Amino acid sequence: MNTTIDDIVSLCKRRGFVYPTSEIYGGLTSSYDYGPLGVELLNNIKQLWWKEFITKREDMVGLDSQILLHPQTWVASGHVTSFSDPMVEDKKTHKRYRADHLIESWLEAHRGQNAVDFKVENLKVSDMAKFIAENKIKSPQNNEITEPKSFNLLFETAVGVISGDKSTVYLRGETAQGIFSNFRNVVDSTRVKLPFGIGQIGKSFRNEITSGQFVFRTLEFEQAEIEYFFNPDDTDWQKLFKSWQDTMWRFVVNILGIDKSKLRWRKHTDSERSHYSKDTYDLEFEYPFGWKELWGISYRTDYDLKQHQEFSKQKLEYRDPITGKTFMPHVIEPAVGVNRLFLMILVNSLRKEDKRLVLSLPPKLAPRTVAVFPLVANKPELVEKAREVYRLLINADIKTAWDERGNIGKRYMSADEAGTPWCVTIDYDSIENASVTVRNRDTTKQVRIQQADLVSYFRQNLHKEDDEK
């Protein structure tokens, strides 16, 4: 099955992974809510990331900085002047579109009909304007468009209650700046020493126009970001950079279980690379709408700490406890959108077999590990026994769902689409001999297991998966 974005959207709405935000009012562009199953999958992804990159590493600590930071933070970082996208406007509908997206769509539509072959991200805004004019590119509604202009992506808001006496602040465009502004606090309050990293997971906001790619690019999104600080005089940044690339790859392939043939590295060109970066790579995944950035890694040098030291007039240098030397640390930044991990996992896991649709999530990622069913919902003795099994599993901290709707076949189908690895069915033999039927999602094979052995059975299977990785 070649998974389409429509397949993913349909599954997410049907099974409660993702809903359009404010749907009863017509929705809000590029905004989505995560339903009962979606929020569990998101939490599982974040917990695995935190475990692998923070908890299990001696050289890492965590942080949770505010969404609203002092506005000078974004002036110092360069976001107020440099954080922008090239935008055009439909002269008739007045809708805005990304100029680079329109050019990419035009190139795709004319593939093989001309000799044009280049990376759109290499174009400056003036180059885009020239290309659009020469090729008479129009809006998706086939209307004339304006020349592209830079459009700042930061959301502005205000602090204060009196109109005319409010201070302008920004919703953060990335989580990194909260880490940099807390660098001195972390060094002074902990026993960290270089090289070390600070990581956090949190919401970021970008006022950008998207191209209908579901949760891949949204106004509000969640980032898992690391700033790894080191001394450039005694650490080879290229070796450190490569080691972080290897770590990122292992997490996606070994921990999240992603097909490596759907992954590749892409180096940013000089014109594409951010102003603060000396080198940047994207780990890309082949989504249904093409190869797109999943996880970026940049060598930010000492740009950010220097900028914040200059604008704040506060010392942000590091003093080596052994040599006594004072210097400004350099930084390597691996940053990933949790929502993009979420979408990648769904795309990688969804498959169609015969007449059933299966979301083959790794058990440690599945929103529910087990679903418990009474064979017949209108038999009190079966329901009571099934409830007993349900409580047994829940009390053992095994994520368990309960379902007594419809016939058993429909319940299996629902569990398969929800990504639940195992189903436990309680029948009349369960009352007689305390045994239950356990069905495997991926193989559909069923085995008979004693109720008393269920907890150890599922725990062993969960650990077996980790051992195999």
Side-chain angles (χ1 to χ4, degrees), residues 71-140:
Q72 278 294 101
T73 303
W74 304 106
V75 176
S77 67
H79 282 77
V80 172
T81 57
S82 304
F83 195 50
S84 60
D85 274 342
M87 307 298 300
V88 297
E89 184 174 303
D90 184 311
K91 292 182 178 181
K92 186 174 182 180
T93 67
H94 302 293
K95 289 184 177 181
R96 288 177 173 175
Y97 301 93
R98 284 268 299 269
D100 53 334
H101 289 171
L102 292 184
I103 294 173
E104 286 175 348
S105 297
W106 186 91
L107 288 171
E108 183 64 29
H110 292 77
R111 188 180 301 278
Q113 299 177 25
N114 56 73
V116 177
D117 184 18
F118 57 84
K119 290 284 187 180
V120 177
E121 55 265 24
N122 293 344
L123 297 179
K124 297 178 181 178
V125 175
S126 58
D127 297 328
M128 293 184 188
K130 182 179 179 181
F131 189 89
I132 288 172
E134 288 178 348
N135 293 282
K136 297 181 173 57
I137 296 176
K138 297 183 178 182
S139 75

Side-chain angles (χ1 to χ4, degrees), residues 48-322:
L48 279 173
W49 184 93
W50 195 268
K51 176 183 176 181
E52 294 297 322
F53 289 97
I54 308 296
T55 308
K56 291 173 66 173
R57 293 185 62 127
E58 185 180 353
D59 59 344
M60 290 292 304
V61 295
L63 185 73
D64 184 6
S65 65
Q66 291 288 287
I67 288 173
L68 295 178
L69 304 176
H70 192 287
Q72 278 294 101
T73 303
W74 304 106
V75 176
S77 67
H79 282 77
V80 172
T81 57
S82 304
F83 195 50
S84 60
D85 274 342
M87 307 298 300
V88 297
E89 184 174 303
D90 184 311
K91 292 182 178 181
K92 186 174 182 180
T93 67
H94 302 293
K95 289 184 177 181
R96 288 177 173 175
Y97 301 93
R98 284 268 299 269
D100 53 334
H101 289 171
L102 292 184
I103 294 173
E104 286 175 348
S105 297
W106 186 91
L107 288 171
E108 183 64 29
H110 292 77
R111 188 180 301 278
Q113 299 177 25
N114 56 73
V116 177
D117 184 18
F118 57 84
K119 290 284 187 180
V120 177
E121 55 265 24
N122 293 344
L123 297 179
K124 297 178 181 178
V125 175
S126 58
D127 297 328
M128 293 184 188
K130 182 179 179 181
F131 189 89
I132 288 172
E134 288 178 348
N135 293 282
K136 297 181 173 57
I137 296 176
K138 297 183 178 182
S139 75
Q141 287 73 37
N142 200 35
N143 297 322
E144 299 290 333
I145 56 178
T146 62
E147 283 195 7
K149 295 181 179 180
S150 293
F151 180 76
N152 194 277
L153 302 181
L154 286 178
F155 274 104
E156 284 190 19
T157 185
V159 173
V161 295
I162 301 175
S163 179
D165 189 28
K166 295 180 180 180
S167 299
T168 298
V169 292
Y170 303 97
L171 300 183
R172 66 184 179 194
E174 63 178 19
T175 57
Q177 299 309 316
I179 294 177
F180 291 123
S181 60
N182 275 295
F183 174 75
R184 184 80 268 154
N185 288 331
V186 172
V187 171
D188 290 345
S189 62
T190 67
R191 300 177 65 86
V192 295
K193 58 182 180 180
L194 294 180
F196 74 89
I198 302 174
Q200 74 168 322
I201 299 175
K203 293 292 184 70
S204 294
F205 304 82
R206 296 185 182 177
N207 189 18
E208 59 184 348
I209 306 299
T210 66
S211 54
Q213 295 169 345
F214 197 35
V215 298
F216 177 81
R217 193 186 300 275
T218 52
L219 300 179
E220 173 186 334
F221 58 99
E222 204 153 16
Q223 285 184 296
E225 201 155 25
I226 290 169
E227 305 304 328
Y228 197 81
F229 301 92
F230 64 97
N231 183 348
D233 291 337
D234 57 29
T235 300
D236 184 330
W237 75 264
Q238 291 175 313
K239 290 183 179 178
L240 183 60
F241 194 96
K242 181 61 167 61
S243 73
W244 272 107
Q245 284 184 294
D246 293 341
T247 300
M248 293 157 60
W249 183 275
R250 283 195 299 270
F251 181 79
V252 174
V253 174
N254 296 348
I255 304 299
L256 300 184
I258 303 302
D259 179 358
K260 63 179 66 177
S261 71
K262 298 290 187 180
L263 299 165
R264 71 182 186 189
W265 287 104
R266 185 182 69 82
K267 181 181 175 69
H268 280 211
T269 63
D270 291 344
S271 59
E272 175 190 8
R273 198 169 58 246
S274 299
H275 62 280
Y276 52 74
S277 174
K278 186 173 181 178
D279 199 10
T280 298
Y281 276 78
D282 286 341
L283 178 56
E284 295 186 329
F285 176 75
E286 190 177 14
Y287 292 95
F289 39 80
W291 289 94
K292 298 291 181 180
E293 176 194 353
L294 171 72
W295 202 333
I297 178 170
S298 298
Y299 174 30
R300 298 180 76 127
T301 68
D302 58 357
Y303 171 84
D304 297 274
L305 289 180
K306 274 187 173 179
Q307 286 291 106
H308 288 301
Q309 179 169 274
E310 178 184 344
F311 278 77
S312 69
K313 310 303 179 187
Q314 302 294 316
K315 290 290 185 180
L316 296 178
E317 296 170 320
Y318 177 86
R319 184 178 184 275
D320 190 298
I322 298 176

Side-chain angles (χ1 to χ4, degrees), residues 420-440:
T420 307
W422 295 284
C423 293
V424 174
T425 302
I426 285 73
D427 54 24
Y428 294 102
D429 288 340
S430 304
I431 298 173
E432 295 295 325
N433 57 28
S435 67
V436 299
T437 297
V438 177
R439 174 186 179 270
N440 183 287

